[in-house]
Amino acid sequence: NSAGGGSGGDGLCSEQELFQLWINVPSASKMNRPCVYLVSNGNDDEKIVGQEEGGIRSEHGKNDSDSDTIQTGYAVAPTVKTNNGKVITRVLVGGYKNGDDSSNSNGEQYYYSSNVPLESPMSILHVTMEPYMSWSMVDIPPSFKTAIIYMRRGSVAINAAGGDNSDEYSSISGVSDGSDSKNGNEIPAHYTAYLTPQGNELSLMSGIEGGDFMLLMGEPINEPVQARGSMVMNSIDGIDQAYNDYAMGYMGRPWDNNLSDDEWRDHVEKYPSIYR
């Protein structure tokens, strides 16, 4: 979900457990038309899939690319199963090249990539592991200076095989509450770990309860950041202008979440965003 100019943060109401990630975009993209992509793995039975199938199929209001409605579409996020299906990696955004057991006949690791559009280079992976399983990512781009792991359930240990491999992300630079992790490079449940930006490989080993984590890594935008409430811009003046535009209705008007699809379309056509 790319908020852009004119997408509210009310979201959907349900009893599901969701990850909600807010990712900053370059200043040149902040006022792009908002867009929403429904992501699937491209295959109902979740077998190993690549990038050959699927694609972005944008659906604009009334099939008009100049429509003021929010741009929607579909994208493919591959699901990769390794270790006999005991480790599952969902490539939500960007790409993933693993160092485990899915190499081709030449011994080269497959590269899996999502076709969700990006404003800057990054990868977002959701990984689930049964107990005492290994997981790895290789050929991490050298421009990726930020790497974060959020541990949803279980635990993982970084570089659990030991050794002094300079090619690996081998240590944790900090955790969410400012304390050390419980056991060296172990990341317990509900911790957010910030990894040192070195090397081009990441190796993990799950603990006794397995592991379920989100990995986010990417290239810095290298722009100033100012945030207030739901607005993220590059300066205080930009924040003030954004809130003024919102108050004036330039980003559209909020709607009742009980509206039908037709009522919602009527609403956004009546109160369009000026950002296209």
Side-chain angles (χ1 to χ4, degrees), residues 120-136:
S120 61
M122 70 181 72
S123 288
I124 301 178
L125 312 178
H126 180 201
V127 182
T128 55
M129 309 168 67
E130 293 189 15
Y132 303 118
M133 289 289 114
S134 63
W135 178 90
S136 65

Side-chain angles (χ1 to χ4, degrees), residues 1 33 56 58 77 85 87 93 110 136 140 166 198 208 227 240 272:
N1 183 338
R33 173 188 288 182
I56 303 299
S58 297
V87 177
V93 171
Y110 289 118
S136 65
I140 299 172
S166 60
Q198 64 186 49
I208 190 172
D240 292 339

Side-chain angles (χ1 to χ4, degrees):
N1 183 338
S2 176
S7 176
D10 293 337
L12 301 175
C13 296
S14 73
E15 294 183 358
Q16 301 180 60
E17 182 180 1
L18 303 175
F19 288 103
Q20 185 180 52
L21 306 175
W22 291 73
I23 300 173
N24 195 19
V25 299
S27 57
S29 303
K30 288 189 184 298
M31 293 305 176
N32 286 357
R33 173 188 288 182
C35 57
V36 176
Y37 290 96
L38 301 180
V39 179
S40 74
N41 67 349
N43 198 317
D44 290 338
D45 62 5
E46 287 197 344
K47 68 181 180 182
I48 294 180
V49 295
Q51 182 56 27
E52 295 79 16
E53 300 179 357
I56 303 299
R57 299 185 294 277
S58 297
E59 294 182 348
H60 302 283
K62 298 182 178 179
N63 296 319
D64 180 1
S65 61
D66 293 326
S67 170
D68 292 314
T69 58
I70 295 176
Q71 179 180 345
T72 62
Y74 302 91
V76 172
T79 295
V80 184
K81 293 186 177 182
T82 55
N83 292 299
N84 296 316
K86 296 180 179 179
V87 177
I88 300 175
T89 303
R90 294 176 174 85
V91 188
L92 303 178
V93 171
Y96 165 64
K97 189 173 184 180
N98 74 82
D100 294 316
D101 58 5
S102 62
S103 59
N104 60 24
S105 58
N106 296 322
E108 299 171 336
Q109 282 80 23
Y110 289 118
Y111 180 79
Y112 303 89
S113 61
S114 163
N115 57 2
V116 174
L118 295 174
E119 301 296 341
S120 61
M122 70 181 72
S123 288
I124 301 178
L125 312 178
H126 180 201
V127 182
T128 55
M129 309 168 67
E130 293 189 15
Y132 303 118
M133 289 289 114
S134 63
W135 178 90
S136 65
M137 180 175 182
V138 300
D139 291 347
I140 299 172
S143 62
F144 282 20
K145 303 301 183 184
T146 300
I148 301 171
I149 292 176
Y150 170 71
M151 203 70 215
R152 177 172 172 258
R153 292 177 181 169
S155 64
V156 295
I158 297 180
N159 194 18
D164 187 19
N165 187 351
S166 60
D167 291 334
E168 293 204 7
Y169 280 72
S170 58
S171 63
I172 301 173
S173 62
V175 293
S176 57
D177 64 357
S179 64
D180 293 332
S181 58
K182 293 182 179 180
N183 182 21
N185 281 347
E186 180 187 4
I187 307 173
H190 304 143
Y191 273 58
T192 300
Y194 302 84
L195 310 185
T196 54
Q198 64 186 49
N200 60 6
E201 299 180 15
L202 176 61
S203 299
L204 304 175
M205 179 71 73
S206 59
I208 190 172
E209 297 180 348
D212 182 335
F213 65 89
M214 187 78 78
L215 171 65
L216 304 92
M217 54 173 53
E219 184 176 305
I221 296 175
N222 292 323
E223 294 181 354
V225 176
Q226 291 289 340
R228 186 195 311 158
S230 60
M231 302 293 183
V232 181
M233 302 296 286
N234 296 99
S235 66
I236 294 296
D237 289 343
I239 292 285
D240 292 339
Q241 184 64 54
Y243 271 108
N244 182 69
D245 288 354
Y246 178 80
M248 297 297 292
Y250 296 157
M251 298 181 183
R253 296 286 185 183
W255 57 82
D256 189 325
N257 60 13
N258 292 317
L259 295 182
S260 68
D261 289 349
D262 288 338
E263 290 172 330
W264 175 80
R265 291 189 183 95
D266 290 341
H267 178 92
V268 295
E269 288 179 2
K270 183 177 180 180
Y271 303 105
S273 167
I274 66 171
Y275 306 110
R276 303 184 181 182

